[in-house]
Amino acid sequence: MAKNYQHILALAFAIKEINEDPTFLLNVTLGFHIYESYYNKRITNIGTLGLLSTPHRFHPNYNQHRDVLPFIKCLSILFQLTPGSFSPAWGEKSPFRFLYQMVPNDAYQYSGIVQLLVYFKWTWIGLFTIKSIQAEERLQKLLPMFSQTGICVAFIYKFQSFEKHGGKASLVPSEVEENSVLMRSKASVFLSDTAHAHIIKINSFLQKSVLDLPRTKIWIMTAQWDFTSNTGQIGQNIHSFDGMLSFAVHSKEPSGFRTFLHTVNPSLVTNDNFIKIFWENAFKCSMKHSSMTKIFKKKCSTEEKLESLPGTFFEMSMTGHSYNVYNAVHTVAHALHSMHASQSKHKSRLSGQKLETHNVLPWQLHPFLRRISFNNSAGDTIQFDGNGEAVTEFDITNWIIFPNQSFVRVKVGHFSPQSPPEKAFSIYDQSIVWPGMFNQVLPVSVCNENCHPGYIRRKKEREPFCCYDCVPCPQGKISDQKDMDSCMDCSADHYSNFEHTQCIPKVIHYLSFTEPLGIILAWSALTFALVTTAVLGMFLKHQDTHIVKANNRSLTYILLSSLLLCFLSSMLFIGEPKTMTCLLRQTAFGIVFSIALSALLAKTMTVVLAFMATRPGSKIRKWVGKRVAKCIVISCSLIQVGLCILWLTTFPPFPHMDVHSLTEEIIAECSEGSNTMFYCVLGYMGFLAVVSFTVAFLARKLPDTFNEAKFITFSMLVFCSVWFSFVPAYVSTKGKNMVAVEIFSILTSSAGLLACIFFPKCYIIVFRPHLNVKDRIIKTKK
């Protein structure tokens, strides 16, 4: 047992240090007996009885006759210091009253392992343990910790108990086949919860199951792990553990230990029954009068040096386990020293008796061990907490394996259970050397690839929660980190980019004078306004001609003026909505259009009344004249004015930012305030248009050369077609397109009235002046 022999040497070195200090334990010399269990319960029981009985006979119901002080690594009814963990259950006080552990509770260690996994985002791991009650208890505590931190276990492989194989660790063919399947797992990280005694089995597992696979596994070992324990062979291939991370109880090498190892030689050491066996197995030679002569033909020269042995077999630096043994011995010595000092202060109570070793009973050291606190030669403070567990921290070690099977252990972090949570765990990941297959890139161990920003995780059915599909975020939502469980909503004035990774501010959207559509509509409105002004000027210039006077010049001027204002009112719809423009847009448009339609209606009614008045004895003559036309225009216009005043005083339009209708833009618009009032204004204009169309249609065949009813009929047909088409188009569009539809309807309907009614007259005035005479106005019947 190569590494166990270093534990023995650490024990001997500690006792040597104590015994050579003349001021520490006066008149007391420490010694020790070693009993090996060989992983056999029967031998363990025999060793225990040997400790509690007389030198040559076993006494199960013994009466102690020996000077037995504390037991290290052995269960007894006295008290025990164990260099390893012995807690039967995590977080519970040990039922063994006099048990002292040189390591912290296992719960602390596994808490550190969980933090390590979380730090590297390793959420898909394989777990190796043994079939035992203690291992099951650890799993019951460990698995919930994994679940709470988002870590899943790809598989749990349980080795048979080492004791059940009589200390042998071989694999049967069925296990080799199963192991090969496990090694093909997507998990890149394996956590071993096995004790160091299973090193051969794990290594054998690796050698037989991964010969055809690249070494892409990261091993994490607990503090029970001892790399060189029970290897049994020099030169065993250990490259499978390259890059391994292991937890170990914090350790330092005491000064003088390496020098002490240089003095270890069978020719120099006496009363050491282990060195002969160790030396023969380590150097493959046989000592004098040894039974190993038949196996090892080479004779030992006793000039062999321990430092020449490979690190896999024996290390010259003190390991963590040996450091615990070393501290356990010094703990007993300091307890004895405290007891001596206490008795010296109370000599009166002892009646002047001299302290003798055989008068010291083991249980008497218990109160001194409970409050022990001292600094060892390496500078570490040794003390116990209320549960008899050492107050210390864990080192995180990176194992670098070289091609010649030598290795280096590098401390890359630590975990201090007693420190505040934010300071308990630290690791220097830049110092870690990963296995060569990873090319010094942080290994990834997840059930599936990470969900990149823009995607979220969706759990797969009948799979652990670490296995998921990646689903893209919907429109308007983003995920800006990997492996998010839900998408985040963008604020109302932002939208998600194409990749759904960030929110982008929305652009304010309105029909402006600088964009092509706005420029075209604005120039169109100005052009039509100029044309209307030209027509009005022409009519004013030729106001005394018969074609101008024939259809009531006042109504003609009112109609042309209202059409001019209609064209100009469309300009209110272009540009960023402001309070004043929102108030004037619909109301100005509604009023001027109502005036235009009222003038058309008055013109039509004038023609109808004039024709009816020509009949003999007609009473309609008294209604013919400018007074009726004015009444029609004023009354019809005032109704619309009243509707607009009611609208403005109750629910006036106002500027509004619509952040929901368009994905990437904010619509700057004028809210109508009251859709009811808006459609009432439009409805009234529609009513006037229908009435005008109906009257004009009925009067279209009246005998008059310059009968405008025909032109008004056609113009109103155009007008009604435009505005009946406007309603569905207006409702189905958003933003500046909605505004453009309304402007287009205003321009086309106004242009239709202008063209259908006035262009024929302009044509006669300009190109057919001979028709603009009195004789052509009165059409005689033949």
Side-chain angles (χ1 to χ4, degrees), residues 285-300:
C285 62
S286 61
M287 304 290 290
K288 293 181 180 180
H289 309 294
S290 171
S291 59
M292 303 298 289
T293 305
K294 296 181 180 180
I295 300 175
F296 303 126
K297 303 299 183 181
K298 176 185 174 182
K299 299 294 183 180
C300 297

Side-chain angles (χ1 to χ4, degrees), residues 250-252 254 318-327 376 378 380:
H250 172 71
S251 63
K252 289 183 181 179
M318 182 176 284
T319 64
H321 293 334
S322 296
Y323 188 66
N324 291 341
V325 173
Y326 173 85
N327 286 331
N376 63 14
D380 285 338

Side-chain angles (χ1 to χ4, degrees), residues 239-292:
H239 196 72
S240 303
F241 299 105
D242 184 30
M244 177 179 66
L245 297 174
S246 69
F247 276 68
V249 178
H250 172 71
S251 63
K252 289 183 181 179
E253 184 169 318
S255 60
F257 179 69
R258 194 178 293 264
T259 303
F260 172 75
L261 292 182
H262 285 295
T263 65
V264 175
N265 191 285
S267 62
L268 302 176
V269 177
T270 59
N271 298 324
D272 187 344
N273 296 328
F274 294 97
I275 190 170
K276 178 180 177 182
I277 300 173
F278 166 78
W279 210 264
E280 289 179 332
N281 284 279
F283 295 102
K284 302 297 182 182
C285 62
S286 61
M287 304 290 290
K288 293 181 180 180
H289 309 294
S290 171
S291 59
M292 303 298 289

Side-chain angles (χ1 to χ4, degrees), residues 430-441:
Q430 299 298 324
S431 302
I432 299 176
V433 177
W434 303 111
M437 290 300 298
F438 292 105
N439 295 321
Q440 278 308 106
V441 176

Side-chain angles (χ1 to χ4, degrees), residues 346-536:
H346 301 83
K347 287 184 179 181
S348 59
R349 293 187 181 182
L350 297 174
S351 302
Q353 295 179 10
K354 182 181 179 181
L355 178 65
E356 299 292 343
T357 303
H358 64 268
N359 290 330
V360 178
L361 300 178
W363 60 266
Q364 291 179 307
L365 291 178
H366 176 64
F368 299 97
L369 285 170
R370 279 294 182 192
R371 57 177 181 267
I372 198 76
S373 179
F374 66 93
N375 292 334
N376 63 14
S377 61
D380 285 338
T381 300
I382 308 300
Q383 60 184 353
F384 298 102
D385 62 15
N387 294 326
E389 298 166 358
V391 178
T392 185
E393 62 182 26
F394 291 95
D395 291 331
I396 303 174
T397 306
N398 181 214
W399 298 71
I400 305 171
I401 312 299
F402 299 104
N404 63 356
Q405 302 300 299
S406 62
F407 63 89
V408 173
R409 293 184 293 178
V410 180
K411 291 183 181 180
V412 294
H414 76 276
F415 177 67
S416 179
Q418 288 77 26
S419 299
E422 65 277 7
K423 297 181 180 180
F425 177 84
S426 67
I427 192 165
Y428 320 109
D429 47 349
Q430 299 298 324
S431 302
I432 299 176
V433 177
W434 303 111
M437 290 300 298
F438 292 105
N439 295 321
Q440 278 308 106
V441 176
L442 175 66
V444 176
S445 187
V446 294
C447 181
N448 48 268
E449 292 296 326
N450 298 104
C451 289
H452 295 287
Y455 293 80
I456 58 172
R457 301 187 299 184
R458 177 178 293 173
K459 185 182 180 302
K460 293 182 179 180
E461 294 294 331
R462 296 184 295 275
E463 293 282 348
F465 66 86
C466 292
C467 301
Y468 46 81
D469 294 318
C470 295
V471 181
C473 288
Q475 188 66 37
K477 296 187 177 183
I478 65 164
S479 63
D480 56 358
Q481 298 178 7
K482 289 184 178 180
D483 291 336
M484 292 187 66
D485 293 321
S486 60
C487 298
M488 299 182 297
D489 290 314
C490 289
S491 60
D493 57 348
H494 287 68
Y495 69 97
S496 60
N497 61 351
F498 180 77
E499 295 80 12
H500 298 281
T501 57
Q502 60 179 333
C503 292
I504 302 175
K506 290 183 177 181
V507 178
I508 297 179
H509 168 100
Y510 60 89
L511 184 62
S512 70
F513 288 101
T514 58
E515 61 180 295
L517 181 60
I519 293 173
I520 292 173
L521 293 175
W523 276 106
S524 299
L526 291 174
T527 301
F528 284 125
L530 290 175
V531 172
T532 305
T533 303
V535 172
L536 179 60

Side-chain angles (χ1 to χ4, degrees), residues 25 34 43 96 146 200 219 390 447 458 520 594 601 607 641 658 678 685:
L25 291 178
I34 296 176
I43 297 177
F96 300 97
F146 283 166
I200 294 180
W219 285 87
C447 181
R458 177 178 293 173
I520 292 173
S594 296
L601 180 59
V607 173
V641 172
D658 181 2
F678 172 67
M685 286 193 302

Side-chain angles (χ1 to χ4, degrees), residues 39-303:
Y39 300 97
N40 186 288
K41 294 179 179 178
R42 181 174 178 273
I43 297 177
T44 300
N45 290 333
I46 293 173
T48 303
L49 290 174
L51 283 171
L52 303 176
S53 303
T54 54
H56 304 291
R57 295 185 62 185
F58 290 133
H59 297 279
N61 297 317
Y62 66 94
N63 183 7
Q64 185 173 342
H65 298 291
R66 303 179 64 186
D67 296 335
V68 181
L69 287 178
F71 299 163
I72 298 179
K73 195 68 174 177
C74 178
L75 180 62
S76 75
I77 61 172
L78 301 175
F79 74 87
Q80 173 188 3
L81 279 85
T82 171
S85 176
F86 195 77
S87 291
W90 294 0
E92 299 177 2
K93 184 175 175 63
S94 171
F96 300 97
R97 183 180 177 187
F98 300 146
L99 174 67
Y100 296 88
Q101 294 179 192
M102 301 307 298
V103 299
N105 193 290
D106 276 343
Y108 298 135
Q109 176 181 201
Y110 282 94
S111 178
I113 290 175
V114 168
Q115 292 199 39
L116 177 70
L117 295 174
V118 171
Y119 179 83
F120 287 120
K121 298 180 181 179
W122 291 333
T123 59
W124 191 244
I125 66 170
L127 181 58
F128 292 85
T129 185
I130 59 175
K131 295 181 180 179
S132 68
I133 296 176
Q134 291 80 5
E136 290 296 329
E137 290 177 348
R138 289 196 297 269
L139 283 179
Q140 291 176 7
K141 299 289 185 177
L142 180 60
L143 294 181
M145 294 173 67
F146 283 166
S147 180
Q148 292 169 7
T149 52
I151 299 170
C152 296
V153 178
F155 62 84
I156 300 177
Y157 187 86
K158 298 180 180 180
F159 289 105
Q160 289 290 340
S161 176
F162 196 75
E163 297 178 2
K164 293 183 178 180
H165 292 274
K168 297 180 179 180
S170 59
L171 292 174
V172 297
S174 61
E175 286 181 305
V176 174
E177 183 178 354
E178 182 180 358
N179 296 340
S180 181
V181 175
L182 296 180
M183 287 302 295
R184 286 181 172 86
S185 168
K186 290 186 292 184
S188 299
V189 175
F190 288 168
L191 170 62
S192 174
D193 187 37
T194 60
H196 62 269
H198 292 78
I199 174 61
I200 294 180
K201 193 165 188 178
I202 294 179
N203 204 31
S204 176
F205 161 86
L206 291 171
Q207 301 307 317
K208 293 184 180 182
S209 60
V210 298
L211 293 177
D212 59 335
L213 297 175
R215 296 185 180 93
T216 56
K217 307 298 180 182
I218 301 295
W219 285 87
I220 299 177
M221 300 297 180
T222 59
Q224 289 84 358
W225 172 271
D226 195 338
F227 202 4
T228 54
S229 286
N230 300 294
T231 55
Q233 301 178 26
I234 298 177
Q236 186 181 40
N237 187 0
I238 60 169
H239 196 72
S240 303
F241 299 105
D242 184 30
M244 177 179 66
L245 297 174
S246 69
F247 276 68
V249 178
H250 172 71
S251 63
K252 289 183 181 179
E253 184 169 318
S255 60
F257 179 69
R258 194 178 293 264
T259 303
F260 172 75
L261 292 182
H262 285 295
T263 65
V264 175
N265 191 285
S267 62
L268 302 176
V269 177
T270 59
N271 298 324
D272 187 344
N273 296 328
F274 294 97
I275 190 170
K276 178 180 177 182
I277 300 173
F278 166 78
W279 210 264
E280 289 179 332
N281 284 279
F283 295 102
K284 302 297 182 182
C285 62
S286 61
M287 304 290 290
K288 293 181 180 180
H289 309 294
S290 171
S291 59
M292 303 298 289
T293 305
K294 296 181 180 180
I295 300 175
F296 303 126
K297 303 299 183 181
K298 176 185 174 182
K299 299 294 183 180
C300 297
S301 65
T302 69
E303 294 182 359

